[in-house]
Amino acid sequence: MSDSHTTPSARIAFLGLGAMGLPMARRLLAQGAHLTVWNRTAARAEPLAAEGARVAASPAEAADGADTVITMLSGPGAVAEVADALLPALAPGSVLVEMSGIGPKAVHGLAARLPEGAHLVDAPVMGSVDRAAQGALSVLAGGPVERVRPVLEALGNVRECGPLGSGAALKLVLINALIGGVAVVAEAMELADALGVPRGRAAEAMAATPMAGALARATSREADFAVRLAAKDVRLATGAAHLPLLEAVGAALTADPSIEDADLSALLKGAAATA
């Protein structure tokens, strides 16, 4: 294994500069990585170019010469599409780190397409945009983690989950618990309205219960986890197991197309009233 995988100054390609990808890529750049970035909407890369990153015109160009290639995309479809161009460009010994949160089935499908000599680590993350900027994410890593540990540690605390696909599996468990918790808080506030309990009073009391964490996430003003991405995570979960409650949550997430790009807290109608 090349020493280039064991230093923060590795040659890294980062593909996908969305709400989480942008601060994650910026964090790697600040840690001294030789960073090349690509994003479908090229304008998203401009701030990083101004900070010293090289901007590639395609996934293949980004991967050219990279020791580590990170994908942080919107879901399984986006990863599969980018992989068509990306995988042939991976050099022997390089490591593809899939951080998008696509579920274990898609991770194993990606592994089956790797060119000879390339390696795959699945390492989706839990955490908010501000924690991404601070390098304080929870990185759920499966597969040959040691090949890219310093890179992952620059982004947050690394939890080794086991063989390839285990990080993606744990991510689905955790993110769906979070999404379900937010949905329950939203309905609890609807119930408070129906019973004449002021939302502020309900929130104050709920904050003293085990639901405090879910309440804090449901009323967050800083988080940026789009409803459409939450709906994708629920679909992945309900496709893997019989989950009637999450099926109902999925229906709630897709019932109002006007909030699909809003943060998950949009489920909590009148959230300001809980402040």
Side-chain angles (χ1 to χ4, degrees), residues 104-105 172-173 176 233-248:
K105 181 178 179 180
L172 277 187
V173 172
N176 277 281
D233 287 328
V234 171
R235 284 194 301 273
L236 289 173
T238 56
H242 178 54
L243 305 168
L245 294 179
L246 277 173
E247 288 172 5

Side-chain angles (χ1 to χ4, degrees), residues 178-192:
L178 181 150
I179 294 166
V182 170
V184 167
V185 170
E187 291 216 338
M189 291 304 171
E190 293 289 329
L191 178 59

